[in-house]
Amino acid sequence: MQQKIIILDFGSQTTQLIGRRVRELDTFCEILPYNKFPADDPSVIGVILSGSPFSVHDPEAFRVDLSQFVGRLPVLGICYGAQFIANICGGKVEKTNTREYGRANLATIDTDNPLFKGFQPNSQVWMSHGDTITAIPDECYDIASTTDVQHAAYASSKWPLWAVQFHPEVFHTTQGKQLLSNFVVDICGSRQEWSPASFVETTVAELKEQLGNDRVILGLSGGVDSSVCATLLNRAIGDRLTCIFVDHGMLRKNEFQKVMEAYQGLGLHVIGVDASEKFFNDLKGVTDPEQKRKIIGRDFVEVFNSEAKKITDAKWLAQGTIYPDRIESLSITGMVIKSHHNVGGLPKEMHLQLCEPLKWLFKDEVRRVGYQLGMPERLIKRHPFPGPGLAVRILGDITPEKVRILQDADDIYIESMLQYVCDDGEVLYDKVWQAGAVLLSTVRSVGVMGDERTYEHPVALRAVTSTDAMTADWAHLPYDFLAKVSNEIINKVKGVNRVCYDISSKPPSTIEWE
């Protein structure tokens, strides 16, 4: 039986990060809404309560029945989780005059307590809360404090229960991984059996059992998720998998041909469909970003369904849905961060069952599985690319000529990034989470080329660093690289006379412009 840690989500922005840190300890975990604890699941070996945007005193604050697991399983409360436990169990939580946010250092640490095994004196932690615990429950005792926070961490002498008011999952808590390892491995007893190799072995066996001799259809996008999904299914069911790759005309330069060749090298049966004329006709004159997305999504389903119906004996539709897609699309606060094309059900007329082999994986785990499957590095290391393609990187209406301009500029940018070697020997492309060019087709700027005045479009370059795209920082690309790329785009791409660099982070901006 596969062991698992349950992370109960109270709405924190860093709940996914807790999950990723647990997975890094080769331990499977599942993030569930705060009120969905699986009481009858014998594979659960421990419970983590996340932070929350709420105060425990807010009328709308999320609450859970602690008796479901406290006293039965090891429990770790983080930030709001720690305050909620204290508040429910007889302690006291009060608002502070100043919000405790940012770096702090543990002034006292009980290194004899198993949660703090291996901690160094004065270890740095990250605080992020407006309330603070002013009294801990009876039968609990302090195991860490800072200069300003007396009850930075506490434990129960009655139950296997620990709580911390800081965030061990974030980078700024320097020994956060040590703390989580102490809890997950030492306290909960994880066998650390979750790995790409074990995932492939288990999933292939499950797919063989689930699908039997049925035929499966998969929509390929050229991205990492759908490519790994296809390779995994191909290993399980071979030629009973049929892949459909739709070219909507807004892919990167020559991408349709390159990706089709890569898929042939993987031994996949792929039907390539050039539907660009339909998409361009339906997008003619449309400028609203959301309307563009809806038209592309609608047309994609129509084209895909048309091809899928030709495979009359298919019973399953496979999708490369990954764990963050599902979490973002099912926000417990009631506010969906963003809708994902892989989440939300199937068109009723397809009459197909859904197969999602990657639905428990984070993006970095998908890549590790890809390596385990022996896939080519050029497919695994590809940056994320939006489903609507370059349509969400062209401000204004979409025309073939605008797509041509952006494809040429984007190609120079990405190819230059692939060829640029940094001082540490790493390729610049591999240091960046996602990069692409944006055409500001609603704007024209004055320029001079030779002795002539020009009045053409600016191009904005975008590059971000991230771990899961939930948050992202703009990448600090070398000046000499930016200068070379700018010069090459302006000289070689007809229709562009100015290049800008986007230095906005997410939040408040998004990674894509539309």
Side-chain angles (χ1 to χ4, degrees), residues 15 53 67 126 135 143 206 250 255 297 322 403 408 427 433 460 494:
T15 301
S67 66
W126 182 265
I143 52 176
E206 289 174 349
M250 288 155 283
E255 184 169 18
I322 63 174
V403 172
D408 288 346
V427 175
W433 169 267
K494 185 179 179 181

Side-chain angles (χ1 to χ4, degrees), residues 479-494:
Y479 287 160
D480 63 326
F481 169 81
L482 288 171
K484 178 179 180 297
V485 169
S486 172
N487 188 58
E488 191 171 350
I489 289 174
I490 292 171
N491 285 336
K492 292 184 177 180
V493 182
K494 185 179 179 181

Side-chain angles (χ1 to χ4, degrees), residues 110-124:
D110 182 359
T111 54
D112 290 331
N113 188 280
L115 191 68
F116 285 108
K117 183 187 75 174
F119 262 59
Q120 301 299 315
N122 209 39
S123 188
Q124 179 181 286

Side-chain angles (χ1 to χ4, degrees), residues 156-360:
S156 170
S157 57
K158 182 179 180 181
W159 301 305
L161 182 151
W162 292 260
V164 297
Q165 285 202 86
F166 54 87
H167 287 270
E169 69 274 20
V170 303
F171 172 78
H172 302 295
T173 297
T174 53
Q175 290 190 273
K177 188 173 181 179
Q178 176 71 47
L179 186 147
L180 289 172
S181 177
N182 289 344
F183 178 73
V184 171
V185 180
D186 296 346
I187 294 172
C188 297
S190 168
R191 295 189 295 265
Q192 297 184 279
E193 296 173 336
W194 173 258
S195 67
S198 68
F199 174 82
V200 170
E201 181 181 356
T202 302
T203 304
V204 167
E206 289 174 349
L207 288 171
K208 286 180 177 179
E209 183 177 351
Q210 178 188 19
L211 304 174
N213 293 318
D214 294 346
R215 183 167 294 281
V216 179
I217 301 172
L218 170 66
L220 286 171
S221 67
V224 178
D225 302 336
S226 68
S227 300
V228 171
C229 182
T231 306
L232 196 61
L233 279 161
N234 188 52
R235 179 168 293 193
I237 63 172
D239 61 6
R240 294 196 302 282
L241 171 68
T242 300
C243 303
I244 300 173
F245 183 27
V246 177
D247 180 6
H248 49 39
M250 288 155 283
L251 299 173
R252 282 180 159 147
K253 188 173 182 178
N254 301 323
E255 184 169 18
F256 185 70
Q257 295 82 0
K258 290 178 181 177
V259 171
M260 285 294 290
E261 290 171 5
Y263 286 147
Q264 288 174 2
L266 289 171
L268 299 175
H269 175 219
V270 183
I271 299 171
V273 184
D274 181 358
S276 54
E277 185 176 351
K278 172 180 175 59
F279 282 86
F280 281 124
N281 285 339
D282 291 349
L283 286 167
K284 190 173 182 179
V286 178
T287 59
D288 180 73
E290 189 62 21
Q291 193 178 355
K292 284 195 284 188
R293 284 180 175 271
K294 287 180 178 178
I295 290 170
I296 292 170
R298 180 201 69 199
D299 284 4
F300 178 87
V301 170
E302 288 179 5
V303 174
F304 183 86
N305 286 357
S306 176
E307 291 297 324
K309 286 176 182 176
K310 298 174 184 177
I311 309 168
T312 56
D313 58 341
K315 294 184 179 179
W316 297 84
L317 175 69
Q319 292 186 158
T321 313
I322 63 174
Y323 205 22
D325 296 344
R326 300 164 64 217
I327 295 170
E328 287 185 342
S329 297
L330 297 170
S331 170
I332 65 165
T333 61
M335 182 182 69
V336 174
I337 298 170
K338 56 182 175 180
S339 58
H340 290 266
H341 59 281
N342 278 347
V343 178
L346 302 173
K348 293 180 180 179
E349 66 271 17
M350 291 192 72
H351 304 295
L352 297 175
Q353 299 176 75
L354 186 60
C355 176
E356 298 174 304
L358 308 181
K359 65 182 180 180
W360 294 112

